[in-house]
Structure formats: structure tokens, C-alpha cells
Amino acid sequence: MVIQNKGSYITLFVGVFLASFILMFGLVMTPMISHYVDSIKQSAVSDYQYILKAPVEPENPGNAEKLTVASLETYYKPAEKNIEVSVFGLREDSHYFEELPISDNESGVYLSDGLAIKMGAESGDTLDFVNPYTDMEYTVKVIGITDYPGALTVFMNQKQLNDLLERDTSYFNGYFSDEELTFTDKNSLATVITPEELSKFGDQMLSSFKQLAPLCLFAAIVIYLVLMYVLTKLVIDKNALYISFLKVFGYETPEIRKLYLKATTIVVLGSLILCLPLVNFGIQGSFFLVQMKLSGYLPVYIPMYLYPEIVAIGMASYFIINFIHVRRINKIELSAALKNRE
């Protein structure tokens, strides 16, 4: 039976893949954004991050650590455009980035993992940067990659960054601090990043995508049902004459149903399971194409529970359609075979 309907079942496999891909796309958005927001919150190295318009000392420095922050651009070949990158100049004994062996004597930079993936860069590679305000160009060597999902970021020694920017070695324009800092001149602050700001940012992202997620899921399930119905209907229609012949030979409807729909059920289940790696590959590739147009990097995160969920939704959809096809088989009459005989 499977060999007889080989062409139809190949088409069914392709349709199941397309339907599963659409369904996965609808299901994955909310957990992926939630995972990204959580990783940003967890990666915050300090409770407060201050970006200054000019070097200024706080009234309560405490354990605050100075840093130099610069915004440079690098050419992103897949999108054929420059993308903005944050550059952090850290002091040698930074206790906020203890995992980075920043040294005054070692030249080179560390890349955030998102930037490294986006640029396809590895340790030992060189990257070119340009200052969008002065058009000055810089070439730096990558000496390591670190886990920092917050942004596309380059980390390097503060003195070396100041030298690169042609600033005084003592220059700084930012602070990391676990306590709120007080500045006499409030106008000297360009940006203040706090846990509350990160939470607000995360809530806004989740709120935006949660409004879209039900629409994506609804559209995906509708398309899934339509595709599954049309493709399985092709199998039944193609075999209508054979089914009528079986009725002529005395086969009961339950036996015919088992003969045709059981094979289709096995093919559908097998297709749902076998297409999961292809769906994963398709989602990864789709987001790569989407992120070519974005300046940032959103890591693709597909929770393991979504895979059995795809199979479960697929089989539930099929059984609904299967019920419809049972009625179609019941309506196939003996006359079809008798007319063909004539």
C-alpha cells in the first residue's frame, strides 16, 4: 500500500515538514525571547552602569570601577553594511570581569559570544573597526571570546583603548558599581543602566511578542490543518476506485479504513519525527537570514519540550482530519467499481 502511494506519501512528508516548520516558528518565539531577556539580566555584571558625557567623579565612589566606553562600527559582509559595536575598556584588575585576563602588557581584544558568532570570528583573527565620528580606522586581534549576551561588545584593556582613541591614559567615561552613585552635575550622565531598566526592557520585549505569538500560533495551526487535510485527501481520492473494488469483494468499511488510513497514520507519524531535524535546521537558517538585517544578535533557543509538542499537535490534527476521511471512505460507493468494469 505504501509503495502504491509512494508519490503521495513523499508529497505528504514535504507538506508535514512545511506545516511543522510554520508551527515551530509560531511556538518558539515566546520562549526564545524569554530566554534572551533572562540571559541579559543574568549577565549584568553590576547593579548600576553609568555612561558619562565627560569624566567626572561621583560624591560616593565606594567600590565603583572606572571604564572607557566607545561606539565603533565594523563591516558586516552578509548584510553589506556597517554594524555598531560597543567597546569596553577595562582596567587590568577589574573585579567585574574577573574571567577576562585583561593585561596592560597584552594587546588584543575579547569578543562577546554574540559578536563572534555574528562575525564568524575566532581567536587569532583580526577585525577592522571605524570610528563613525572621526572616520579613523583600527585593526585589532581577537585573543578570546566571552559569554556576554547583553550586546555586541568588544572588551580590551582600558589604557590600550584610550591610546587607540588618542585619549589620555587616565581618561574614562563610565562606571560599574553595585551601589547607586551620586553626581553633583546630573547633566554629566548620558545613560544609567539599572536592574529595573533591564526588567522594564525585558517586559516590553515579552509584551510585544506575546501579542504576536497567539496570532502566529493560530495561523500556523490553520495552515497545518489545511495542508494535512489536502495531502491526506489526495491519498484517499487517488485510491477511491481501489476502495470501491474492495467493497465489491466483500471487505467491510472498518477493514478498508484500517488498510488505507493505518498506512497513512504511520507515514504521518514517521514524517513528523523524521522532519524535526530539518525543522531545527530551517529555524536556525531563517533566523540567520532575519538577523542579517539586524544590528544586534538574538541567539536561537528552541526548548526540547517543543519537539514532542510539535509531534503531539501534528497527530492531534491528523486524527481530527482522519475522522473526516472515515466519513469520505464510507461514502465511496460500489458503483464506482462497477462503472469502471463496464
Side-chain angles (χ1 to χ4, degrees), residues 185-210:
D185 183 8
K186 298 293 184 181
N187 293 325
S188 63
L189 294 176
T191 305
V192 180
I193 302 174
T194 65
E196 289 74 19
E197 289 293 326
L198 289 175
S199 296
K200 185 178 179 181
F201 165 74
D203 292 341
Q204 288 175 345
M205 285 191 70
L206 285 174
S207 176
S208 299
F209 279 96
K210 279 183 177 179

Side-chain angles (χ1 to χ4, degrees), residues 291-310:
Q291 295 193 81
M292 284 175 59
K293 303 298 181 182
L294 302 177
S295 296
Y297 177 75
L298 177 65
V300 179
Y301 171 72
I302 304 177
M304 290 303 296
Y305 68 80
L306 286 185
Y307 294 106
E309 193 169 316
I310 290 288

Side-chain angles (χ1 to χ4, degrees), residues 176-242:
F176 289 122
S177 177
D178 288 329
E179 298 177 359
E180 185 174 4
L181 302 180
T182 303
F183 294 88
T184 304
D185 183 8
K186 298 293 184 181
N187 293 325
S188 63
L189 294 176
T191 305
V192 180
I193 302 174
T194 65
E196 289 74 19
E197 289 293 326
L198 289 175
S199 296
K200 185 178 179 181
F201 165 74
D203 292 341
Q204 288 175 345
M205 285 191 70
L206 285 174
S207 176
S208 299
F209 279 96
K210 279 183 177 179
Q211 291 175 4
L212 293 173
L215 295 176
C216 291
L217 185 58
F218 175 76
I221 291 176
V222 169
I223 294 171
Y224 201 106
L225 287 169
V226 171
L227 278 173
M228 195 74 78
Y229 175 78
V230 171
L231 292 169
T232 50
K233 180 177 179 292
L234 286 174
V235 177
I236 300 298
D237 289 347
K238 184 178 178 181
N239 292 281
L241 181 61
Y242 297 104

Side-chain angles (χ1 to χ4, degrees), residues 36-302:
Y36 176 64
V37 170
D38 289 341
S39 64
I40 289 177
K41 293 178 181 178
Q42 293 170 6
S43 68
V45 295
S46 63
D47 292 335
Y48 296 88
Q49 183 179 325
Y50 296 87
I51 308 299
L52 309 174
K53 297 178 182 177
V56 61
E57 298 284 347
E59 295 179 1
N60 56 331
N63 67 343
E65 184 178 301
K66 298 176 182 178
L67 75 148
T68 300
V69 182
S71 180
L72 302 179
E73 293 181 352
T74 186
Y75 184 69
Y76 182 49
K77 188 175 181 180
E80 297 183 342
K81 67 175 184 179
N82 283 353
I83 57 173
E84 185 176 345
V85 175
S86 297
V87 184
F88 285 3
L90 309 174
R91 73 186 195 188
E92 186 175 34
D93 57 344
S94 173
H95 61 273
Y96 289 102
F97 287 89
E98 294 179 346
E99 72 280 4
L100 295 180
I102 298 292
S103 172
D104 291 341
N105 301 319
E106 184 179 22
S107 60
V109 302
Y110 293 87
L111 306 183
S112 64
D113 50 351
L115 179 59
I117 294 172
K118 192 174 184 74
M119 299 300 297
E122 299 177 349
S123 296
D125 292 346
T126 58
L127 291 179
D128 297 321
F129 293 92
V130 61
N131 190 322
Y133 307 105
T134 64
D135 290 329
M136 291 187 64
E137 297 180 355
Y138 318 101
T139 299
V140 296
K141 181 180 179 180
V142 180
I143 58 176
I145 297 169
T146 186
D147 181 19
Y148 187 79
L152 301 180
T153 311
V154 173
F155 302 94
M156 62 187 302
N157 180 269
Q158 186 175 19
K159 292 180 180 179
Q160 292 174 5
L161 178 57
N162 287 341
D163 181 61
L164 203 67
L165 300 175
E166 298 183 347
R167 298 281 191 175
D168 187 80
T169 55
S170 62
Y171 175 82
F172 68 94
N173 63 344
Y175 284 98
F176 289 122
S177 177
D178 288 329
E179 298 177 359
E180 185 174 4
L181 302 180
T182 303
F183 294 88
T184 304
D185 183 8
K186 298 293 184 181
N187 293 325
S188 63
L189 294 176
T191 305
V192 180
I193 302 174
T194 65
E196 289 74 19
E197 289 293 326
L198 289 175
S199 296
K200 185 178 179 181
F201 165 74
D203 292 341
Q204 288 175 345
M205 285 191 70
L206 285 174
S207 176
S208 299
F209 279 96
K210 279 183 177 179
Q211 291 175 4
L212 293 173
L215 295 176
C216 291
L217 185 58
F218 175 76
I221 291 176
V222 169
I223 294 171
Y224 201 106
L225 287 169
V226 171
L227 278 173
M228 195 74 78
Y229 175 78
V230 171
L231 292 169
T232 50
K233 180 177 179 292
L234 286 174
V235 177
I236 300 298
D237 289 347
K238 184 178 178 181
N239 292 281
L241 181 61
Y242 297 104
I243 292 172
S244 64
F245 272 127
L246 289 173
K247 287 189 175 183
V248 169
F249 291 135
Y251 282 85
E252 297 293 332
T253 299
E255 294 175 306
I256 298 172
R257 186 168 64 238
K258 183 184 295 185
L259 193 62
Y260 279 91
L261 294 184
K262 184 178 180 181
T264 304
T265 301
I266 293 171
V267 171
V268 169
L269 178 59
S271 298
L272 283 166
I273 295 172
L274 291 175
C275 76
L276 291 178
L278 296 177
V279 170
N280 183 293
F281 181 78
I283 292 292
Q284 299 277 352
S286 298
F287 275 95
F288 173 78
L289 294 176
V290 168
Q291 295 193 81
M292 284 175 59
K293 303 298 181 182
L294 302 177
S295 296
Y297 177 75
L298 177 65
V300 179
Y301 171 72
I302 304 177

